[in-house]
Amino acid sequence: MSTDYNKRFILFSKPFVDAIKDTFKVMMDTEITIHSPKIKNENKTHGDIAALIGMNGLYIQDDEEHDFKGLLVIAWSMETYLKISSKMLMEEFSEYSEEISDTGAEISNIVMGNAKKILATNSYKIDMATPSTIKGQNLEIKYPPKTKVIETVISSDLGEFVMEICYQEI
Amino acid sequence: MAFDVKQKILIIDDMSTMRKIIKNMLTKMGCDDLHEADDGTPAWEMIQSAYKADAPFDFIISDWNMPGMTGLDLLKNLRSSAEFNTLPFLMVTAEAEQSNVVLAVKSGVSNFVVKPFNQETLKMKIEKIFK
C-alpha cells in the first residue's frame, strides 16, 4: 500500500470520528473518548451487535476521478447496546427486543450521513447503502482481501465499543 | 397558525428507532395524537384516508431516505394535490448536503431537520413552521 493511499485513508477516516462524537453528544448527551486508531489484522469484530453500512463512490485528485468502496462497522457488547438504546430512545431497555433492533443501524446511518457531508468538501462523492444490524457472539466480518481496516476503540459513560472503517481504492 | 400540541401528527420513517425517538420527543412536548408509518406509500394512503374520514392530519414529519416511496416523493405527491398542498411537512434526513436542502425547498418542504438532533432542535424547527 502506497504512502498516498495511507494518507488518503487517514483523511477519509477522520470525518467518521467527528461524526460519531457529534452523534453521541447531540442524541445521547454523552461525551465519547476516541482511543488511538490501529490497523486491524483479523476478521473478528468484538461485540454482540454490529451495525454495518456500505458505501461506494469516487474521489477527485489532480482532476482525475478514482473509484473507491468502503464499509463502516460499529460494534457493541449487549450491555453497552442496551444502555445506548435506553439513552437514545429516552426509555429503559433491560433486554434486547425488536423495538431496539435497528438502533445500531440508525446510529451508523447518522454517522455515515454526516461523514459524507464533510467528505464532500474533500472531493469525495459517496453513495450510501442501506444500513443493517447483525447480532451474535464472536461476530466475524469478512472484509475484502487486500484491504486495510482501521479499528478505533471508543469509551463513554455508557460503555466501550468499536468503530471500524474499511477503505478500498479500485 | 401556531403549533398546537393537540394536532394530529404523522411520523414516517423506515427505522423504528427514529420513529420512537421523534414520538418520545413529541410526547415530552405534550403531543398525544401521534401516528406512525414505516414508508411513504402507507403514509400517503393514511393521509388520504384520514382526509376522507374528516379527521385529517395537521402535520407530517418524514424521513427522506426510505426503501419504497421516499420522503421527497411523498412531499411531491402532497404538493401536487389540492387538498394537501399546504399541509405542514418537516423533512428529517441524515444527509445534510446543500443540494438536498435546495431540492427539498424547491419541492415545497416547510422545514428541514438534520440528524443528529435533540428535542430542543426539533421543537425549534416545528415552531418555525407554525410561526
Side-chain angles (χ1 to χ4, degrees):
Chain A
M1 303 281 178
S2 71
T3 311
D4 275 357
Y5 166 85
N6 287 336
K7 274 185 189 167
R8 275 195 302 277
F9 193 177
I10 291 165
L11 280 175
F12 180 81
S13 303
K14 195 176 174 305
F16 291 89
V17 172
D18 295 338
I20 200 164
K21 271 186 178 175
D22 194 40
T23 301
F24 272 73
K25 171 113 180 116
V26 175
M27 298 219 72
M28 287 163 256
D29 196 21
T30 298
E31 298 285 353
I32 58 172
T33 303
I34 309 286
H35 297 275
S36 295
K38 61 177 186 188
I39 299 291
K40 197 175 168 180
N41 296 313
E42 56 169 350
N43 273 339
K44 285 251 163 58
T45 291
H46 301 283
D48 304 317
I49 296 190
L52 296 84
I53 183 164
M55 67 196 100
N56 61 60
L58 55 88
Y59 68 94
I60 300 164
Q61 190 179 36
D62 300 328
D63 294 329
E64 275 187 37
E65 291 186 350
H66 305 270
D67 294 325
F68 81 94
K69 59 183 177 182
L71 183 66
L72 167 69
V73 176
I74 310 172
W76 300 268
S77 68
M78 183 55 78
E79 186 187 356
T80 302
Y81 190 80
L82 292 172
K83 284 183 184 171
I84 284 172
S85 300
S86 300
K87 188 87 176 181
M88 190 162 163
L89 277 73
M90 296 170 285
E91 61 181 85
E92 201 59 34
F93 293 97
S94 55
E95 58 184 40
Y96 182 83
S97 70
E98 192 60 32
E99 279 186 291
I100 54 169
S101 61
D102 65 8
T103 303
E106 183 61 58
I107 292 170
S108 68
N109 186 45
I110 297 170
V111 171
M112 180 73 233
N114 282 268
K116 182 183 166 184
K117 184 192 172 193
I118 302 168
L119 284 164
T121 64
N122 293 333
S123 302
Y124 276 92
K125 290 180 183 172
I126 301 176
D127 286 325
M128 295 162 50
T130 303
S132 57
T133 310
I134 55 171
K135 180 171 163 279
Q137 286 184 325
N138 296 317
L139 295 171
E140 196 163 340
I141 292 168
K142 298 263 185 232
Y143 291 104
K146 296 180 183 173
T147 58
K148 277 188 182 173
V149 178
I150 289 182
E151 178 190 54
T152 306
V153 174
I154 297 168
S155 56
S156 73
D157 288 349
L158 303 172
E160 198 171 89
F161 57 99
V162 292
M163 178 169 73
E164 297 176 358
I165 299 163
C166 172
Y167 175 76
Q168 184 184 23
E169 293 178 350
I170 44 179
Chain B
M1 180 178 69
F3 179 63
D4 184 345
V5 292
K6 296 202 182 310
Q7 284 181 339
K8 184 176 180 179
I9 303 171
L10 179 59
I11 303 158
I12 312 154
D13 201 305
D14 56 318
M15 297 276 205
S16 62
T17 288
M18 190 46 68
R19 292 200 305 272
K20 203 165 188 59
I21 289 169
I22 294 171
K23 199 173 173 184
N24 285 345
M25 286 178 178
L26 292 170
T27 302
K28 282 180 190 288
M29 287 162 60
C31 303
D32 61 6
D33 196 0
L34 303 172
H35 304 257
E36 295 179 44
D38 63 3
D39 191 77
T41 304
W44 177 229
E45 287 166 10
M46 285 170 75
I47 292 166
Q48 291 179 101
S49 301
Y51 182 81
K52 282 175 194 162
D54 209 18
F57 286 101
D58 299 302
F59 180 34
I60 308 296
I61 301 177
S62 177
D63 186 29
W64 181 305
N65 284 316
M66 292 181 285
M69 186 192 291
T70 66
L72 187 66
D73 288 336
L74 175 65
L75 175 64
K76 286 175 179 172
N77 277 353
L78 293 168
R79 293 300 179 249
S80 61
S81 101
E83 297 92 341
F84 309 117
N85 62 3
T86 58
L87 180 60
F89 192 108
L90 178 68
M91 186 76 87
V92 182
T93 183
E95 296 187 57
E97 288 164 272
Q98 188 65 24
S99 55
N100 282 356
V101 179
V102 171
L103 192 56
V105 169
K106 277 184 178 171
S107 302
V109 78
S110 310
N111 209 345
F112 210 93
V113 64
V114 177
K115 302 177 204 173
F117 59 86
N118 55 22
Q119 190 186 330
E120 198 179 317
T121 302
L122 181 69
K123 187 168 185 265
M124 191 182 72
K125 295 281 182 178
I126 292 172
E127 284 175 348
K128 205 166 176 185
I129 293 175
F130 291 93
K131 208 160 86 175

